[in-house]
Amino acid sequence: MSKVRADISVSVDGYVAGPNQSLENPLGEGGEGLHDWAVGLAAWRGAHGMEGGEVNASTQVMDERQANVGAGIMGRNMFGGGTGPWEESWTGWWGEDPPFHVPTFVLTHHPRKPVTLSDTTFVFVTDGIKSAYDQAREAAGDKDVMIHGGAHTINQYLAAGLLDELELHVVPVILGGGARLLDNLSPQLNLEQVRVVEAPGVTHLKYRVAK
């Protein structure tokens, strides 16, 4: 059965991006360090059209993350381009060949026509998280939907009971502020631990969201 999953790197103090995010520094101060564990992996580099890289205990986690995904959802801030009405020249952070390779639904308050780059089509959704969820489930068919982020988007899907699985890649850094995951959620939210994987520079924690 297909699932709706979220998968994100997080600091030990709970932030997925550091303070003072901007167009020049989209992950905020210190935020780039949350992804050092991933960018050196052969599995990550191959998915981004790069050669080389290492194989370690994170490799299986990365392979599983990238498998069986039929559609994605992300927030406006993750797609980038600032706030307010769209500047049509902005097509995301990823250049002409984004690493998603599936229909990807972008939550926004401002309408925009779909943008296709290589084999990724970004669809801009203005009528809320449930609409994006429904469209992504339909596009994915019998495959999974990945909620890419950021923190606010994942928090919304958790709060709405629309997430089946959450995987956190906990990195031993302290950011002290920024975009906080699992913020202002109900204490009634029930997470069941599925597994823990220790790897160089990161601990992978997978949870099932109990319905």
Side-chain angles (χ1 to χ4, degrees), residues 20-187:
N20 302 317
Q21 291 174 265
S22 66
L23 288 176
E24 296 75 24
N25 193 13
L27 292 176
E29 296 171 5
E32 291 285 348
L34 295 177
H35 304 280
D36 287 347
W37 70 269
V39 298
L41 290 175
W44 186 92
R45 294 175 67 83
H48 290 76
M50 304 165 69
E51 298 181 353
E54 62 184 282
V55 175
N56 60 34
S58 291
T59 297
Q60 178 184 350
V61 174
M62 182 62 71
D63 287 343
E64 289 181 7
R65 180 199 184 281
Q66 296 170 168
N68 200 47
V69 176
I73 296 173
M74 67 177 63
R76 166 74 186 260
N77 286 347
M78 183 172 177
F79 186 81
T83 59
W86 289 99
E87 170 54 59
E88 298 293 327
S89 63
W90 180 262
T91 55
W93 305 105
W94 305 279
E96 293 299 314
D97 188 19
F100 305 107
H101 311 298
V102 293
T104 301
F105 297 84
V106 181
L107 297 164
T108 176
H109 296 296
H110 300 278
R112 183 177 181 179
K113 293 180 180 178
V115 173
T116 298
L117 298 167
S118 186
D119 58 354
T120 299
T121 296
F122 294 102
V123 179
F124 301 91
V125 180
T126 59
D127 51 349
I129 64 168
K130 184 59 165 59
S131 176
Y133 172 93
D134 290 339
Q135 293 180 62
R137 291 300 297 256
E138 182 176 0
D142 59 357
K143 293 187 175 182
D144 294 344
V145 173
M146 180 66 76
I147 311 294
H148 295 290
H152 181 60
T153 297
I154 294 173
N155 290 343
Q156 287 184 87
Y157 279 97
L158 277 168
L162 297 176
L163 198 64
D164 300 308
E165 199 170 87
L166 174 66
E167 184 145 24
L168 306 179
H169 311 294
V170 182
V171 180
V173 300
I174 295 175
L175 294 179
R180 192 175 186 91
L181 193 66
L182 307 180
D183 199 24
N184 294 318
L185 292 174
S186 169

